[in-house]
């Protein structure tokens, strides 16, 4: 098989993996393709956590046609029992002649163990084709599985002068309808949305996934509320069927209010903190232990600033509208004291810029 054909088939396998985006947490997005005599004879992708893995689906579809075929798999096959049996056993029993892997699984339970067993069985294996593209697709999984902390995306909609609300705390609507729809599409890819209590008090949001692409998608709603100021009649409590509600608060919260919130359907977790707020790192460790692999931080300005100043943000997604709000009292998306020298500023990496509905979307990494 030529390198050009290998690349084309791996692109197809990655496109299959992409179809699972938003549905497999805390597992990775994986696609598999089986090719014989320049024809695709089997394909599959891991659709949901607990369902058959991509390799198994591809082998089932290929059947006897897998004899002396080549498999293109976007991630090293698993070697351990989880919600499903290890894929490696089925691959070793298959009549495949060659396997092309995009990347090694960073999971310590799997890392290079699957590759070793395949090669010991005499199967030709190559690794690394379109590795960077696969790692970008699985950026959430790579962080979560190696650090046991969720991948953090900070999303903000702002004017050209960096304001996310007016001096009267009005933010509806800075961004265009099309940009807001896109951000709802992004919401569905996440395990959770996180906001501070001021966002709840000022906007009374639902924090649900309302894009047509994500029918039936539930999402965890996380609220940082150090003094449990959230109203018991907040609209979010009417949407429990669309996702659980988790409230992080400081130690020794008002017991009576905490009990009422629990009766309202929320989970209340006490975290360490100080006068300046809740310990965010402790919150992220708690989420990681509870298999929350991705969080979309949506506001407000103080929460954005806390995450940025504590270097807890992995990815920035900024929607910039061609408007000027002005005023020192208007809410900026990044506050705090700021750096003393330009050399201390936080640089964007791997930037991507595009337009939607007249707004400019800036995507970058920290």
């Amino acid at each position: 098989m030529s390198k050009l054909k290998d690349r084309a088939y791996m692109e197809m396998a990655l496109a299959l993996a992409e179809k699972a985006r938003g549905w497999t947490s805390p597992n990775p997005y994986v696609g598999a393709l089986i090719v014989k005599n320049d024809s695709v004879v089997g394909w599959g992708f891991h659709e949901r956590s607990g369902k058959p893995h991509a390799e198994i689906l591809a082998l089932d579809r290929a059947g006897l046609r897998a004899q002396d075929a080549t498999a293109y798999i976007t991630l090293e096959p698993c070697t351990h029992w989880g919600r499903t049996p290890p894929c490696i056993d089925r691959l070793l029993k298959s009549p495949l002649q060659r396997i092309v892997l995009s990347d090694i699984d960073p999971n310590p339970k799997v890392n290079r163990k699957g590759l070793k067993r395949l090669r010991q069985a005499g199967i030709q294996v190559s690794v690394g084709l379109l590795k960077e593209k696969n790692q970008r697709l699985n950026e959430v999984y790579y962080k979560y599985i190696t650090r046991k902390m969720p991948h953090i995306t900070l999303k903000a909609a702002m004017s050209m002068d960096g304001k996310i609300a007016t001096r009267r705390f009005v933010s509806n609507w800075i961004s265009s309808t099309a940009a807001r729809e896109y951000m709802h599409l992004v919401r569905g890819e996440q395990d959770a949305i996180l906001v501070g209590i001021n966002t709840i008090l000022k906007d009374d949001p639902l924090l649900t996934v309302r894009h047509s692409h994500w029918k039936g998608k539930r999402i965890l709603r996380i609220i940082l509320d150090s003094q449990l100021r959230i109203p018991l009649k907040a609209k979010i409590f009417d949407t429990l069927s669309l996702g659980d509600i988790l409230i992080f608060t400081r130690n020794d919260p008002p017991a009576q209010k905490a009990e009422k919130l629990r009766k309202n359907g929320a989970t209340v977790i006490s975290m360490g903190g100080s006068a300046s707020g809740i310990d965010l790192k402790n919150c992220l460790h708690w989420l990681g232990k509870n298999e929350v692999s991705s969080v979309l931080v949506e506001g407000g300005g103080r929460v954005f600033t806390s995450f940025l100043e504590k270097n807890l943000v992995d990815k920035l997604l900024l929607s910039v509208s061609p408007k000027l709000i002005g005023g020192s009292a208007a809410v900026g998306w990044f506050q705090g004291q700021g750096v003393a020298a330009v050399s201390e500023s936080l640089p964007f990496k791997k930037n991507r810029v595009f337009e939607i509905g007249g707004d400019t979307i800036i995507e970058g990494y920290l």
Side-chain angles (χ1 to χ4, degrees):
M1 188 73 70
S2 70
K3 291 183 179 179
L4 190 60
K5 287 182 178 179
D6 277 348
R7 184 182 179 89
Y9 288 127
M10 186 59 78
E11 290 276 12
M12 292 172 67
L14 285 166
L16 286 168
E18 179 83 32
K19 293 168 72 69
R21 187 184 285 274
W23 293 110
T24 64
S25 177
N27 295 330
Y29 305 134
V30 181
L33 205 70
I34 297 177
V35 178
K36 184 174 182 179
N37 298 328
D38 286 337
S39 294
V40 175
V41 296
W43 60 272
F45 66 95
H46 183 43
E47 297 178 14
R48 303 279 178 102
S49 180
K51 286 196 172 185
H53 287 191
E55 304 94 315
I56 306 304
L57 292 171
L59 286 168
D60 286 346
R61 286 190 170 100
L64 297 175
R65 293 174 296 176
Q67 183 72 46
D68 297 327
T70 296
Y72 297 85
I73 307 172
T74 59
L75 197 65
E76 180 182 15
C78 61
T79 57
H80 66 293
W81 277 85
R83 293 182 176 93
T84 58
C87 296
I88 191 67
D89 294 341
R90 180 71 183 278
L91 286 167
L92 291 174
K93 293 176 182 177
S94 75
L96 292 169
Q97 182 182 66
R98 178 173 173 254
I99 295 178
V100 180
L101 300 176
S102 181
D103 199 13
I104 298 299
D105 193 330
N107 187 342
K109 294 180 179 179
V110 180
N111 190 259
R112 297 193 174 274
K113 296 181 178 69
L115 174 63
K116 182 179 180 180
R117 290 186 62 184
L118 289 171
R119 285 177 170 166
Q120 286 177 339
I123 300 174
Q124 300 176 39
V125 186
S126 60
V127 183
L129 185 59
L130 298 179
K131 175 180 177 179
E132 289 187 4
K133 186 171 184 177
N134 183 43
Q135 290 183 351
R136 178 72 176 270
L137 173 64
N138 279 300
E139 61 189 10
V140 168
Y141 174 74
Y142 277 73
K143 179 185 178 183
Y144 169 75
I145 206 66
T146 56
R147 297 178 57 188
K148 292 302 178 187
M149 290 177 69
H151 182 275
I152 303 299
T153 300
L154 189 155
K155 186 219 81 174
M158 67 189 72
S159 61
M160 289 186 71
D161 52 342
K163 306 299 185 181
I164 59 174
T166 69
R167 59 186 170 83
R168 294 184 177 177
F169 305 106
V170 178
S171 59
N172 296 347
W173 294 104
I174 291 176
S175 55
S176 67
T177 300
R180 295 199 304 274
E181 183 179 3
Y182 172 73
M183 292 305 179
H184 270 285
L185 186 64
V186 171
R187 265 189 186 181
E189 298 177 6
Q190 311 293 319
D191 288 350
I193 304 169
L194 183 148
V195 299
I197 184 57
N198 287 333
T199 295
I200 298 294
L201 295 176
K202 291 166 184 173
D203 298 338
D204 199 14
L206 301 178
L207 302 178
T208 55
V209 178
R210 300 191 290 277
H211 195 284
S212 59
H213 179 76
W214 300 110
K215 291 180 180 179
K217 177 70 186 271
R218 300 180 81 252
I219 192 164
L220 175 66
R221 280 78 60 78
I222 304 169
I223 302 164
L224 303 178
D225 186 0
S226 61
Q227 299 177 46
L228 294 188
R229 292 186 291 149
I230 184 170
L232 295 173
K233 293 184 178 181
K235 291 179 182 178
I236 195 171
F237 292 115
D238 297 327
T239 63
L240 284 169
S241 63
L242 301 176
D244 295 336
I245 299 169
L246 172 62
I247 302 173
F248 283 125
T249 188
R250 290 209 300 258
N251 291 335
D252 301 319
Q256 190 175 11
K257 182 66 177 288
E259 184 58 29
K260 287 181 179 179
L261 289 170
R262 292 185 178 106
K263 288 181 178 179
N264 244 17
T267 298
V268 180
I269 301 294
S270 298
M271 284 289 167
S274 63
S276 61
I278 298 166
D279 190 319
L280 294 179
K281 189 167 287 188
N282 280 349
C283 292
L284 298 187
H285 281 300
W286 188 96
L287 292 170
K289 289 178 181 178
N290 286 273
E291 294 193 338
V292 176
S293 64
S294 60
V295 176
L296 185 66
V297 178
E298 291 205 356
R302 291 181 181 177
V303 172
F304 291 157
T305 301
S306 293
F307 269 87
L308 288 166
E309 288 184 338
K310 292 176 173 60
N311 295 315
L312 297 175
V313 177
D314 299 294
K315 184 175 182 178
L316 287 169
L317 189 58
L318 309 178
S319 176
V320 182
S321 181
K323 299 179 177 76
L324 293 173
I325 291 177
S328 59
V331 184
W333 78 283
F334 189 15
Q335 303 168 6
Q337 290 186 338
V339 298
V342 175
S343 59
E344 299 171 0
S345 60
L346 298 174
F348 271 42
K349 303 170 186 175
K350 299 181 181 178
N351 296 336
R352 185 167 72 106
V353 181
F354 54 96
E355 290 189 7
I356 295 179
D359 291 353
T360 301
I361 310 297
I362 305 172
E363 181 184 272
Y365 296 82
L366 291 175

